């Protein structure tokens, strides 16, 4: 995983953010262009970090894997395509174009796998009754328990993204707040005060690598001045 993250980082960046859609919100019977066209305003996956949710409008690099959605070519529609995504030949091209439209200029790799994620026991059965046995969305609840969900489509992504700036700078700020000199066990474990301060400076420098220049620097400077 560390080597994979390294392939998505550059310009001093070392960390990536994990995102997922579990299950991927796909209506039963819909093609991939129809599914993705329903999410033109915002991507349908969520940040897995415990940091507060933020809308991501750009990223530097990303790798996305979608599994469990049919890889068959979408049915052609008479006349003009219903969306630009319908004009692409293969599901792989559809997903790649969707990523480029949301994150123009970013380095993006994408993969489609036909096999869904198996959710039969002992997988936790926490699913909505609006899911079919194969994990696709229905307009109304089905007649059997959500425990009957046997598989789901899943999207997972790793992103080198500006969303990591507030997460890393917040971590640095939290570590500066308490007086670590009061934690005797902290330094008896072998941590030197100078090493700790150096690590904090490295963390601050790393967080700055994820800035995009839209006011993030000012907010961090204010926090440091406190």
């Amino acid at each position: 995983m560390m080597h994979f993250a390294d392939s998505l980082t550059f310009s001093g960046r070392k960390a990536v953010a994990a995102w997922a859609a579990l299950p991927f919100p796909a209506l039963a019977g819909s093609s991939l262009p129809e599914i993705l066209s329903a999410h033109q305003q915002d991507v349908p996956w969520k940040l897995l970090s415990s940091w507060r949710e933020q809308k991501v409008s750009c990223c530097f690099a990303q790798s996305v894997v979608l599994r469990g959605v049919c890889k068959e070519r979408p049915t052609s529609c008479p006349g003009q395509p219903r969306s630009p995504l319908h004009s692409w030949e293969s599901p792989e091209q559809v997903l790649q174009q969707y990523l480029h439209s949301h994150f123009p200029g970013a380095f993006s790799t994408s993969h489609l796998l036909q096999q869904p994620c198996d959710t039969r026991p002992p997988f936790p059965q926490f699913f909505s009754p609006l899911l079919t046995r194969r994990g696709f969305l229905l307009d109304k609840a089905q007649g059997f328990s959500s425990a009957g969900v046997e598989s789901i489509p899943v999207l997972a992504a790793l992103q080198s993204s500006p969303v990591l700036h507030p997460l890393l700078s917040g971590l640095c700020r939290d570590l500066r707040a308490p007086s670590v000199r009061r934690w005797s066990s902290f330094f008896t474990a072998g941590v030197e005060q100078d090493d700790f301060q150096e690590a904090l400076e490295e963390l601050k420098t790393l967080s700055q690598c994820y800035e995009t220049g839209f006011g993030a620097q000012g907010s961090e400077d204010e926090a440091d001045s406190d």
Side-chain angles (χ1 to χ4, degrees):
M1 182 62 73
M2 182 175 63
H3 293 300
F4 184 49
D6 285 344
S7 68
L8 297 174
T9 54
F10 44 85
S11 300
R13 305 179 188 107
K14 300 179 181 179
V16 292
W19 304 73
L22 185 98
F24 182 68
L27 287 171
S30 297
S31 67
L32 185 58
E34 292 170 335
I35 295 168
L36 294 178
S37 294
H39 298 280
Q40 290 290 359
Q41 299 301 316
D42 197 9
V43 294
W45 52 89
K46 302 295 183 182
L47 182 64
L48 296 184
S49 167
S50 59
W51 191 254
R52 61 183 180 271
E53 182 70 16
Q54 295 194 15
K55 182 177 180 180
V56 177
S57 58
C58 67
C59 74
F60 309 115
Q62 63 183 340
S63 179
V64 178
V65 176
L66 175 61
R67 57 184 297 182
V69 175
C70 184
K71 296 184 64 174
E72 294 178 0
R73 181 177 175 177
T75 304
S76 300
C77 301
Q80 296 296 323
R82 280 177 277 177
S83 77
L85 294 177
H86 284 82
S87 62
W88 295 93
E89 292 290 328
S90 67
E92 290 82 359
Q93 291 175 322
V94 171
L95 179 58
Q96 191 69 19
Q97 182 59 28
Y98 178 79
L99 295 175
H100 281 310
S101 66
H102 276 274
F103 307 102
F107 170 74
S108 297
T109 64
S110 59
H111 303 278
L112 265 73
L113 305 176
Q114 191 165 4
Q115 184 178 5
C117 177
D118 188 0
T119 57
R120 289 172 294 186
F123 196 95
Q125 298 300 307
F126 47 62
F127 300 109
S128 165
L130 291 174
L131 291 183
T132 68
R133 292 187 184 275
R134 297 188 61 188
F136 291 96
L137 293 171
L138 294 171
D139 292 331
K140 60 181 179 179
Q142 53 193 349
F144 59 87
S145 168
S146 60
V149 177
E150 299 176 353
S151 65
I152 56 172
V154 174
L155 184 144
L158 289 179
Q159 281 189 346
S160 175
S161 165
V163 75
L164 285 164
H165 169 69
L167 190 150
L168 294 172
S169 61
L171 175 60
C172 185
R173 183 169 58 251
D174 291 343
L175 289 172
R176 289 182 188 275
S179 175
V180 293
R181 293 175 181 174
R182 298 178 181 175
W183 302 349
S184 58
S185 60
F186 189 79
F187 292 105
T188 55
V191 178
E192 297 291 339
Q193 177 71 29
D194 291 343
D195 293 339
F196 178 75
Q197 293 302 325
E198 182 180 354
L200 281 181
E201 290 302 317
E202 291 178 354
L203 182 60
K204 178 181 177 181
T205 300
L206 179 61
S207 72
Q208 292 171 344
C209 292
Y210 293 90
E211 290 180 336
T212 56
F214 296 103
Q217 179 65 49
S219 60
E220 184 179 357
D221 288 342
E222 291 175 2
D224 289 344
S225 65
D226 292 339

